[in-house]
Amino acid sequence: MTDVRFLKIVVFVNALVPLVLLFSDLYTRRAGPNPLQFATTTTGMLTLIFLSLTVAITPLRKIFGVNSLVKLRRMLGLFAFFYGSLHLLTYIWFDRGFNFISVGPDVVRRPFILAGMIAFLLMTPLAITSTNKMVKRLGGKRWAQLHRQVYLSVIAAVVHFWMLVKSDTSLPLTFAFIILFLLGYRLLTRYMPVHTDTTLFPRE
Ligand code: HEM
């Protein structure tokens, strides 16, 4: 088995661990006084973590010179979408009581819901076009252009998180700094390739 395949299995199994823990906490009634809120916040946090990891792959690959990291990007992105879908489902279920008609007015009424919805809608075409077949169909250049949308999605996600916290903004602020760094690095490598194409930590 190649190293990359092994790494993919390790990441896949680990990415499912929080889901198992969430179900276990819900089942054993260890999810606090409001389990519904617990499920929404947990899946929201997982979505943001996986989205941030997806965006971090290219800078990490360039900084550490580990090209094989790119092979994990699709899986991490799909996990972000998976947890995002669960997060949306918990909202529609627990917050809206499956009253789909009330989602539209809620999006208009609560700006943080609008930001979350934008983040999720921006992720959706990326998940749909993540297959090799879709890369071929769209052509590499168009596919890459479309997938730059992930940056807009993660920005909207951080805004969503920022807007919904009431007092302690340290966590959304931390995510904002991480995303700012990753975005800044991407822009730098795009417009100043001479300085940043060199790996900081070459493997040899
Ligand atoms: C990429 C998409 C999204 C990401 C990354 C995301 C992320 C998050 C995060 C990090 C939290 C807070 C967790 C905490 O308090 O520890 C959260 C809470 C929440 N999100 Fe999202 N979210 C996304 C999309 C959405 C969407 C589409 C909706 C609904 C339409 C939504 C509704 C909510 C609600 C209702 C809460 C709980 C608010 C509260 O604590 O009262 N999110 N989300």
Side-chain angles (χ1 to χ4, degrees), residues 6-16 72 75-76 79:
F6 178 69
L7 191 66
K8 275 184 167 177
I9 293 170
V10 171
V11 172
F12 184 83
V13 171
N14 275 285
L16 286 174
L72 299 174
M75 192 197 293
L76 291 170
F79 267 110

Side-chain angles (χ1 to χ4, degrees), residues 37 40-49 51 80 84 87-88 90-92 95 103 106-107 110 112-121 123 153-154 156-158 160-161 164-166 171 175:
Q37 171 92 9
T40 307
T41 53
T42 306
T43 49
M45 192 50 81
L46 286 167
T47 311
L48 188 55
I49 290 169
L51 204 51
H87 184 55
L88 182 60
T90 61
Y91 159 80
I92 290 174
D95 201 291
V103 173
D106 195 35
V107 168
R110 294 197 283 176
F112 88 90
I113 295 287
L114 174 67
M117 206 54 121
I118 290 173
F120 184 76
L121 290 178
M123 278 168 85
S153 173
V154 78
V158 173
H160 165 69
F161 189 18
L164 70 89
V165 292
K166 276 139 200 130
L171 203 51
F175 272 102

Side-chain angles (χ1 to χ4, degrees), residues 19 29 41 43 47 56 83-84 105 113 147 168 175 182 189 203:
L19 184 69
R29 296 171 196 275
T41 53
T43 49
T47 311
Y83 282 117
I113 295 287
H147 279 250
D168 185 6
F175 272 102
L182 296 172
T189 47
R203 298 186 86 193

